[in-house]
Amino acid sequence: MTRTSHSTTRRSLLGGLLAAAAVPALAACSSGITSLDGQGNAGSGGGSSAGGLTIGTANFTENQVLGHLYAETLRAAGVKTTVRANLGTREILIPALEGGDIDLLPEYQGALLHYLDPKAKATEEGEMQNALAIALPKGLQILPYGMAEDSDAFVVTPATAEKYGLTSLADLAKQNGKLVIGAAPEVKKRAVGAVGLKDVYGVEFKEFKSLDSSGPLVKGALKKGDVDVANLFTTDTDIAAEGWVVLTDPKNLIPGQHVVPLIADRAADSTVRRALARLGATLTTKDLTELNRLVDKDKKDPEDVAHDWAAAHGLTKK
């Protein structure tokens, strides 16, 4: 299914976000069901944030920024919040959420769905929201997804694109056994990664180099020619700055990746829902890209840029 554009979904997203937060019941709209618990049932969540909650983040810039944005927004709503940043990959974070070490984390629809159900076929935002509600472990739930989106991208340098005739992921199969891919270690075993590239496009690489998530290691390797293909994030400002070529995805291997809060039932009360829905209705992909730039390029602290952005957009206490 073709993914809907930001311009055509903005109004339905905003309506779905705010309606789902204000009335925490199962509600379907043009962007899909936006308020579900782990079992796909209607309800207010039954949890309480009165004792505070702990936010965990993954080990890359953007997720850390999002974690601090969550914290800023929740503190303004009166929720005591702690951020445990840079904890690691989804393979660490999900068990930590289930086990009670953390209560909330910023997630991405498509990546989370494929982690929970590698055979999932949904690619449109509403479909994925529904599929996630079914796939989530007991005790966890997703809240309304936001406007901001950050997808995986497989990129090459202009020189590599010209040398091998690469414009799409399908073209990679014509060079089987010749190209080296660089990505975070977990991408080797993920559907939106080496496994999916082989299953969907028939791609086989000469070598997989385990590096980092759209960070200095993988980008440095791409610049030096140590890898031919790099797995980056679409909100990474280096893609445009370096003139790298994003390979198109004609078979829709890469699903939509709207930012979505993943939370334990125990913490999902109406205060938390309303606060995070307000953030989701305010933060855009453009905003998220700029916040990444401030951290990665200007070397600012993720907590500081989150605080400044939230204050500038009226999401913190005066």
Side-chain angles (χ1 to χ4, degrees):
M1 179 178 290
T2 305
R3 287 169 51 191
T4 34
S5 68
H6 295 296
S7 61
T8 58
T9 61
R10 180 182 173 91
R11 283 177 292 182
S12 61
L13 271 168
L14 290 174
L17 282 162
L18 297 176
V23 183
L26 198 63
C29 64
S30 59
S31 58
I33 296 171
T34 57
S35 182
L36 297 162
D37 67 16
Q39 291 74 49
N41 298 321
S44 61
S48 173
S49 61
L53 56 80
T54 300
I55 300 168
T57 82
N59 54 348
F60 58 93
T61 294
E62 179 176 286
N63 209 252
Q64 293 172 44
V65 170
L66 285 167
H68 287 295
L69 286 173
Y70 283 12
E72 292 287 343
T73 306
L74 290 169
R75 287 168 188 156
V79 180
K80 183 180 178 181
T81 306
T82 301
V83 178
R84 295 183 63 186
N86 200 32
L87 292 179
T89 66
R90 192 170 286 112
E91 288 78 4
I92 295 171
L93 288 163
I94 302 298
L97 186 61
E98 291 182 278
D101 294 319
I102 58 175
D103 304 298
L104 168 68
L105 64 98
E107 262 293 358
Y108 304 86
Q109 283 184 312
L112 177 60
L113 179 59
H114 279 277
Y115 170 80
L116 296 169
D117 180 8
K119 297 181 179 180
K121 302 298 182 184
T123 57
E124 187 271 330
E125 293 90 340
E127 290 179 344
M128 285 190 292
Q129 197 80 347
N130 298 345
L132 277 168
I134 296 170
L136 279 172
K138 184 178 180 180
L140 305 184
Q141 59 183 278
I142 46 169
L143 300 185
Y145 62 86
M147 289 192 297
E149 182 176 10
D150 180 11
S151 295
D152 284 272
F154 294 93
V155 309
V156 297
T157 65
T160 298
E162 182 177 0
K163 179 179 179 179
Y164 294 106
L166 304 176
T167 60
S168 78
L169 296 177
D171 294 330
L172 293 173
K174 301 173 185 177
Q175 307 299 330
N176 275 352
K178 298 179 182 179
L179 304 178
V180 176
I181 183 172
E186 60 271 16
V187 175
K188 186 174 184 178
K189 297 181 179 180
R190 287 187 174 173
V192 184
V195 173
L197 286 169
K198 182 175 182 179
D199 291 346
V200 176
Y201 287 104
V203 178
E204 295 183 5
F205 291 102
K206 177 182 178 181
E207 182 183 355
F208 183 101
K209 287 195 174 183
S210 295
L211 299 168
D212 54 12
S213 296
S214 205
L217 295 180
V218 69
K219 288 186 283 188
L222 186 64
K223 289 179 183 179
K224 294 177 183 177
D226 293 337
V227 301
D228 303 296
V229 182
N231 175 216
L232 304 182
F233 301 142
T234 54
T235 55
D236 193 320
T237 55
D238 277 335
I239 295 175
E242 299 290 341
W244 290 329
V245 178
V246 177
L247 300 178
T248 62
D249 180 21
K251 294 185 179 181
N252 293 320
L253 167 66
I254 304 169
Q257 299 279 28
H258 283 277
V259 175
V260 63
L262 177 61
I263 190 168
D265 290 347
R266 59 184 175 271
D269 62 17
S270 59
T271 300
V272 172
R273 290 168 178 271
R274 283 194 296 266
L276 293 179
R278 187 181 178 200
L279 172 62
T282 306
L283 181 69
T284 66
T285 301
K286 183 178 179 181
D287 292 332
L288 194 53
T289 303
E290 173 60 13
L291 293 174
N292 289 340
R293 187 194 68 78
L294 290 171
V295 176
D296 288 336
K297 293 298 184 183
D298 293 358
K299 305 304 178 184
K300 294 188 176 182
D301 185 86
E303 185 173 4
D304 292 338
V305 301
H307 173 79
D308 293 345
W309 183 91
H313 289 79
L315 296 176
T316 57
K317 289 183 177 180
K318 300 294 184 181

Coordinates of all heavy atoms in Angstrom, one line a residue, residues 211-280:
L211 N 28.3 -1.3 12.7 CA 28.8 0.0 13.1 C 27.8 0.6 14.1 O 27.7 0.1 15.1 CB 29.0 0.8 11.8 CG 30.0 0.2 10.8 CD1 30.0 0.9 9.5 CD2 31.4 0.3 11.4
D212 N 27.2 1.7 13.7 CA 26.2 2.4 14.6 C 25.0 2.8 13.9 O 24.8 2.6 12.7 CB 26.9 3.5 15.4 CG 27.5 4.6 14.4 OD1 27.2 4.5 13.2 OD2 28.3 5.5 14.9
S213 N 24.0 3.4 14.7 CA 22.7 3.8 14.1 C 22.8 5.2 13.6 O 22.7 6.2 14.4 CB 21.6 3.7 15.2 OG 21.5 2.3 15.6
S214 N 23.0 5.3 12.3 CA 23.0 6.6 11.6 C 24.0 7.6 12.4 O 23.7 8.8 12.5 CB 21.6 7.3 11.6 OG 21.5 8.2 10.5
G215 N 25.1 7.0 12.8 CA 26.1 7.8 13.6 C 27.4 8.0 12.9 O 27.5 7.8 11.7
P216 N 28.4 8.5 13.7 CA 29.7 8.9 13.1 C 30.4 7.7 12.5 O 31.2 7.8 11.5 CB 30.4 9.5 14.2 CG 29.8 9.0 15.5 CD 28.3 8.8 15.1
L217 N 30.2 6.5 13.0 CA 31.0 5.3 12.5 C 30.5 4.9 11.1 O 31.3 4.8 10.2 CB 30.8 4.1 13.5 CG 31.4 4.3 14.9 CD1 31.2 3.0 15.7 CD2 32.9 4.6 14.8
V218 N 29.2 4.8 11.0 CA 28.7 4.3 9.7 C 28.8 5.4 8.6 O 29.1 5.2 7.5 CB 27.2 3.9 9.8 CG1 26.2 5.0 10.1 CG2 26.8 3.1 8.5
K219 N 28.6 6.7 9.0 CA 28.8 7.8 8.1 C 30.2 8.0 7.7 O 30.6 8.3 6.5 CB 28.1 9.1 8.6 CG 26.6 9.0 8.7 CD 26.0 10.3 9.1 CE 26.0 10.5 10.5 NZ 25.2 11.7 11.0
G220 N 31.1 7.8 8.7 CA 32.5 7.9 8.3 C 33.0 6.8 7.4 O 33.8 7.0 6.5
A221 N 32.5 5.6 7.6 CA 32.8 4.5 6.7 C 32.3 4.7 5.3 O 33.0 4.4 4.3 CB 32.2 3.2 7.3
L222 N 31.1 5.3 5.2 CA 30.6 5.6 3.9 C 31.4 6.7 3.1 O 31.8 6.5 2.0 CB 29.1 6.1 4.0 CG 28.4 6.4 2.7 CD1 28.2 5.1 1.9 CD2 27.0 7.0 3.0
K223 N 31.9 7.7 3.9 CA 32.7 8.7 3.3 C 34.0 8.2 2.8 O 34.6 8.5 1.8 CB 33.0 9.8 4.3 CG 31.8 10.7 4.6 CD 32.2 11.8 5.7 CE 31.0 12.6 6.1 NZ 31.4 13.6 7.1
K224 N 34.6 7.3 3.6 CA 36.0 6.7 3.3 C 35.9 5.6 2.2 O 36.9 5.2 1.7 CB 36.6 6.1 4.6 CG 36.9 7.2 5.6 CD 37.5 6.5 6.9 CE 37.7 7.5 8.0 NZ 38.2 6.9 9.2
G225 N 34.7 5.1 2.0 CA 34.6 4.0 1.0 C 34.7 2.6 1.7 O 34.9 1.6 0.9
D226 N 34.7 2.6 3.0 CA 34.9 1.3 3.7 C 33.6 0.5 3.5 O 33.6 -0.7 3.7 CB 35.2 1.5 5.1 CG 36.6 2.1 5.3 OD1 37.4 1.9 4.4 OD2 36.8 2.7 6.4
V227 N 32.5 1.2 3.4 CA 31.2 0.5 3.0 C 30.6 1.2 1.8 O 30.9 2.4 1.5 CB 30.2 0.6 4.2 CG1 30.7 0.0 5.4 CG2 29.7 2.0 4.5
D228 N 29.9 0.4 1.0 CA 29.2 0.9 -0.2 C 27.8 1.4 0.1 O 27.4 2.4 -0.6 CB 29.2 -0.2 -1.3 CG 30.6 -0.7 -1.6 OD1 31.4 0.1 -2.1 OD2 30.8 -1.9 -1.3
V229 N 27.1 0.8 1.0 CA 25.8 1.1 1.3 C 25.7 1.3 2.8 O 26.3 0.6 3.6 CB 24.8 0.0 0.9 CG1 23.3 0.4 1.2 CG2 25.0 -0.4 -0.5
A230 N 25.0 2.4 3.2 CA 24.8 2.7 4.7 C 23.3 2.8 5.0 O 22.5 3.3 4.3 CB 25.5 4.0 5.0
N231 N 23.0 2.2 6.2 CA 21.7 2.4 6.7 C 21.6 3.6 7.6 O 22.2 3.6 8.7 CB 21.3 1.1 7.5 CG 19.9 1.2 8.2 OD1 19.7 0.7 9.3 ND2 19.0 1.9 7.5
L232 N 20.9 4.7 7.2 CA 20.8 5.9 7.9 C 19.3 6.2 8.2 O 18.4 5.4 7.7 CB 21.4 7.1 7.1 CG 22.9 6.9 6.7 CD1 23.4 8.2 6.0 CD2 23.8 6.6 7.9
F233 N 19.0 7.3 8.9 CA 17.7 7.7 9.2 C 17.4 8.9 8.3 O 18.2 9.8 8.0 CB 17.5 8.1 10.6 CG 17.8 7.0 11.6 CD1 18.5 7.2 12.8 CD2 17.5 5.7 11.3 CE1 18.7 6.2 13.7 CE2 17.7 4.6 12.2 CZ 18.4 4.9 13.4
T234 N 16.1 9.0 7.8 CA 15.7 10.0 6.9 C 15.8 11.4 7.5 O 15.9 12.4 6.8 CB 14.3 9.8 6.4 OG1 13.4 9.7 7.5 CG2 14.3 8.6 5.5
T235 N 15.8 11.5 8.9 CA 16.0 12.9 9.5 C 17.4 13.2 9.7 O 17.7 14.3 10.3 CB 15.2 12.9 10.9 OG1 15.7 11.8 11.7 CG2 13.7 12.7 10.7
D236 N 18.3 12.5 9.2 CA 19.8 12.8 9.3 C 20.2 13.8 8.3 O 20.1 13.6 7.1 CB 20.6 11.5 9.1 CG 22.0 11.6 9.5 OD1 22.6 12.7 9.3 OD2 22.6 10.6 10.0
T237 N 20.6 15.0 8.8 CA 20.9 16.1 7.9 C 22.1 15.9 7.1 O 22.3 16.6 6.1 CB 21.1 17.4 8.8 OG1 22.1 17.2 9.8 CG2 19.8 17.8 9.5
D238 N 22.9 14.9 7.4 CA 24.1 14.7 6.6 C 23.8 14.1 5.2 O 24.6 14.2 4.3 CB 25.0 13.7 7.3 CG 25.9 14.4 8.3 OD1 26.2 15.6 8.2 OD2 26.4 13.7 9.3
I239 N 22.6 13.5 5.1 CA 22.2 13.0 3.8 C 22.2 14.0 2.7 O 22.8 13.9 1.7 CB 20.8 12.2 3.9 CG1 21.0 11.0 4.8 CG2 20.4 11.8 2.5 CD1 19.6 10.3 5.0
A240 N 21.5 15.1 3.0 CA 21.5 16.3 2.1 C 22.8 17.0 2.0 O 23.2 17.4 1.0 CB 20.3 17.2 2.5
A241 N 23.4 17.2 3.2 CA 24.7 18.0 3.3 C 25.8 17.3 2.4 O 26.6 18.0 1.8 CB 25.1 18.1 4.7
E242 N 25.8 16.0 2.4 CA 26.8 15.2 1.7 C 26.4 14.9 0.3 O 27.2 14.4 -0.5 CB 27.2 14.0 2.5 CG 27.8 14.2 3.9 CD 29.2 14.8 3.8 OE1 29.8 14.7 2.8 OE2 29.6 15.3 4.9
G243 N 25.2 15.1 0.0 CA 24.7 14.8 -1.4 C 24.5 13.3 -1.6 O 24.6 12.8 -2.7
W244 N 24.3 12.5 -0.5 CA 24.2 11.1 -0.7 C 22.9 10.7 -1.3 O 21.9 11.4 -1.2 CB 24.3 10.4 0.7 CG 25.7 10.5 1.3 CD1 26.9 10.5 0.6 CD2 26.0 10.5 2.7 NE1 27.9 10.5 1.4 CE2 27.5 10.6 2.7 CE3 25.3 10.6 3.9 CZ2 28.1 10.6 3.9 CZ3 26.0 10.6 5.1 CH2 27.4 10.7 5.1
V245 N 22.9 9.6 -2.0 CA 21.7 9.1 -2.8 C 20.9 8.2 -1.9 O 21.4 7.1 -1.5 CB 22.2 8.5 -4.1 CG1 20.9 7.9 -4.9 CG2 23.0 9.4 -4.9
V246 N 19.6 8.5 -1.7 CA 18.8 7.6 -1.0 C 18.1 6.6 -2.0 O 17.5 7.1 -2.9 CB 17.6 8.3 -0.2 CG1 16.7 7.4 0.4 CG2 18.3 9.3 0.8
L247 N 18.3 5.3 -1.9 CA 17.8 4.4 -2.8 C 16.3 4.2 -2.6 O 15.8 4.1 -1.5 CB 18.5 3.0 -2.6 CG 20.0 3.0 -2.8 CD1 20.6 1.6 -2.6 CD2 20.4 3.5 -4.3
T248 N 15.6 4.3 -3.7 CA 14.1 4.2 -3.6 C 13.7 2.8 -3.2 O 14.5 1.8 -3.4 CB 13.4 4.6 -4.9 OG1 13.9 3.7 -6.0 CG2 13.8 6.0 -5.3
D249 N 12.4 2.7 -2.8 CA 11.9 1.4 -2.2 C 10.6 1.0 -3.0 O 9.6 1.1 -2.4 CB 11.7 1.6 -0.7 CG 11.1 0.4 0.0 OD1 11.3 -0.8 -0.6 OD2 10.6 0.5 1.0
P250 N 10.7 0.6 -4.2 CA 9.5 0.3 -5.0 C 8.6 -0.8 -4.5 O 7.4 -0.8 -4.8 CB 10.1 -0.1 -6.4 CG 11.5 -0.5 -6.2 CD 12.0 0.3 -5.0
K251 N 9.1 -1.7 -3.7 CA 8.3 -2.8 -3.1 C 7.9 -2.5 -1.7 O 7.3 -3.4 -1.0 CB 9.1 -4.1 -3.2 CG 9.3 -4.5 -4.7 CD 10.0 -5.9 -4.7 CE 10.2 -6.4 -6.1 NZ 10.8 -7.7 -6.2
N252 N 8.1 -1.3 -1.2 CA 7.6 -0.9 0.1 C 8.1 -1.8 1.2 O 7.4 -2.2 2.1 CB 6.1 -0.8 0.2 CG 5.5 0.3 -0.7 OD1 6.1 1.4 -0.7 ND2 4.5 0.1 -1.4
L253 N 9.4 -2.1 1.2 CA 10.0 -2.9 2.3 C 10.0 -2.0 3.6 O 9.7 -2.6 4.6 CB 11.5 -3.2 1.9 CG 12.4 -3.7 3.1 CD1 11.9 -5.1 3.6 CD2 13.8 -3.8 2.6
I254 N 10.2 -0.8 3.4 CA 10.4 0.1 4.6 C 9.0 0.7 4.9 O 8.4 1.5 4.1 CB 11.4 1.2 4.3 CG1 12.7 0.6 4.0 CG2 11.5 2.1 5.6 CD1 13.7 1.7 3.4
P255 N 8.4 0.4 6.1 CA 7.1 0.9 6.4 C 7.1 2.3 6.9 O 8.2 2.9 7.2 CB 6.6 -0.1 7.5 CG 7.9 -0.4 8.2 CD 9.0 -0.5 7.1
G256 N 5.9 2.9 7.1 CA 5.8 4.2 7.7 C 6.4 4.2 9.1 O 6.3 3.2 9.8
Q257 N 7.0 5.3 9.5 CA 7.7 5.3 10.8 C 7.3 6.5 11.6 O 8.2 7.3 12.1 CB 9.2 5.3 10.6 CG 9.7 4.1 9.9 CD 9.9 2.9 10.8 OE1 9.2 2.7 11.8 NE2 10.8 2.0 10.4
H258 N 6.1 6.8 11.8 CA 5.7 7.9 12.7 C 6.1 7.6 14.1 O 6.1 6.4 14.6 CB 4.2 8.1 12.7 CG 3.7 8.8 11.5 ND1 3.7 10.2 11.3 CD2 3.2 8.3 10.3 CE1 3.2 10.5 10.2 NE2 2.9 9.4 9.5
V259 N 6.6 8.6 14.8 CA 6.9 8.5 16.2 C 5.7 8.1 17.1 O 4.6 8.8 16.9 CB 7.6 9.8 16.8 CG1 7.9 9.7 18.2 CG2 8.9 10.1 16.0
V260 N 5.8 7.1 17.9 CA 4.7 6.7 18.7 C 5.2 6.3 20.1 O 6.2 5.7 20.3 CB 4.0 5.5 18.1 CG1 4.9 4.3 18.0 CG2 2.7 5.1 18.8
P261 N 4.5 6.8 21.2 CA 4.9 6.5 22.5 C 4.5 5.0 22.9 O 3.4 4.6 22.6 CB 4.1 7.5 23.4 CG 3.6 8.5 22.5 CD 3.4 7.9 21.2
L262 N 5.4 4.3 23.4 CA 5.1 3.0 23.9 C 5.2 3.0 25.4 O 6.3 3.4 26.0 CB 6.2 2.0 23.3 CG 6.0 0.5 23.8 CD1 4.7 -0.1 23.5 CD2 7.2 -0.3 23.3
I263 N 4.2 2.6 26.1 CA 4.1 2.8 27.5 C 3.5 1.6 28.2 O 2.8 0.8 27.7 CB 3.2 4.1 27.8 CG1 3.3 4.5 29.3 CG2 1.8 3.8 27.4 CD1 2.7 5.8 29.6
A264 N 4.0 1.4 29.5 CA 3.4 0.3 30.3 C 2.0 0.7 30.8 O 1.8 1.9 31.1 CB 4.3 0.0 31.5
D265 N 1.1 -0.2 30.9 CA -0.2 0.1 31.3 C -0.2 0.8 32.7 O -1.0 1.6 33.0 CB -1.0 -1.2 31.5 CG -1.4 -1.9 30.2 OD1 -1.3 -1.2 29.1 OD2 -1.8 -3.0 30.2
R266 N 0.7 0.4 33.5 CA 0.8 0.9 34.9 C 0.9 2.4 35.0 O 0.6 3.0 36.0 CB 1.9 0.2 35.7 CG 3.3 0.5 35.1 CD 4.4 -0.3 35.8 NE 5.7 -0.1 35.1 CZ 6.1 -0.9 34.1 NH1 5.4 -1.9 33.7 NH2 7.3 -0.7 33.5
A267 N 1.5 3.0 33.9 CA 1.7 4.5 33.9 C 0.8 5.3 33.0 O 0.9 6.5 32.9 CB 3.2 4.7 33.5
A268 N -0.1 4.6 32.3 CA -0.8 5.2 31.2 C -2.1 5.8 31.7 O -3.2 5.3 31.4 CB -1.0 4.2 30.1
D269 N -2.1 6.9 32.4 CA -3.3 7.6 32.8 C -3.6 8.7 31.9 O -2.9 9.0 30.9 CB -3.2 8.0 34.3 CG -2.1 9.1 34.5 OD1 -1.6 9.7 33.6 OD2 -1.7 9.3 35.7
S270 N -4.7 9.4 32.1 CA -5.2 10.4 31.2 C -4.3 11.6 31.2 O -4.2 12.3 30.1 CB -6.6 10.9 31.6 OG -6.6 11.4 32.9
T271 N -3.6 11.9 32.3 CA -2.7 13.1 32.3 C -1.5 12.8 31.3 O -1.1 13.7 30.5 CB -2.1 13.3 33.7 OG1 -3.1 13.6 34.6 CG2 -1.1 14.4 33.7
V272 N -1.0 11.6 31.3 CA 0.1 11.2 30.4 C -0.4 11.2 29.0 O 0.3 11.8 28.1 CB 0.7 9.9 30.8 CG1 1.7 9.4 29.7 CG2 1.4 9.9 32.2
R273 N -1.5 10.7 28.7 CA -2.1 10.6 27.4 C -2.3 12.0 26.8 O -1.9 12.2 25.6 CB -3.4 9.9 27.4 CG -3.3 8.4 27.7 CD -4.7 7.8 28.0 NE -4.6 6.4 28.2 CZ -4.7 5.4 27.3 NH1 -4.9 5.8 26.0 NH2 -4.6 4.2 27.6
R274 N -2.9 12.9 27.5 CA -3.1 14.2 27.0 C -1.8 15.0 26.7 O -1.7 15.6 25.7 CB -4.0 15.0 28.0 CG -5.5 14.7 28.0 CD -6.3 15.7 28.7 NE -5.9 15.8 30.1 CZ -6.6 15.1 31.1 NH1 -7.6 14.3 30.8 NH2 -6.2 15.2 32.4
A275 N -0.9 14.9 27.6 CA 0.4 15.6 27.5 C 1.2 15.1 26.2 O 1.6 15.9 25.4 CB 1.3 15.4 28.7
L276 N 1.3 13.8 26.1 CA 2.0 13.2 24.9 C 1.3 13.5 23.6 O 1.9 13.6 22.5 CB 2.3 11.8 25.1 CG 3.3 11.5 26.3 CD1 3.5 10.0 26.5 CD2 4.6 12.2 26.1
A277 N -0.1 13.5 23.6 CA -0.8 13.8 22.4 C -0.6 15.2 22.0 O -0.5 15.5 20.8 CB -2.3 13.5 22.6
R278 N -0.5 16.1 23.0 CA -0.2 17.5 22.6 C 1.2 17.7 22.0 O 1.3 18.4 21.0 CB -0.3 18.3 23.9 CG -0.2 19.8 23.7 CD -0.2 20.6 25.0 NE -0.1 22.0 24.8 CZ 0.3 22.9 25.7 NH1 0.6 22.5 26.9 NH2 0.4 24.2 25.4
L279 N 2.1 17.0 22.5 CA 3.5 17.0 21.9 C 3.4 16.4 20.5 O 4.0 17.0 19.5 CB 4.5 16.2 22.7 CG 5.8 15.9 22.1 CD1 6.6 17.2 21.9 CD2 6.7 15.0 23.0
G280 N 2.7 15.3 20.3 CA 2.7 14.6 19.0 C 2.0 15.5 18.0 O 2.3 15.4 16.8

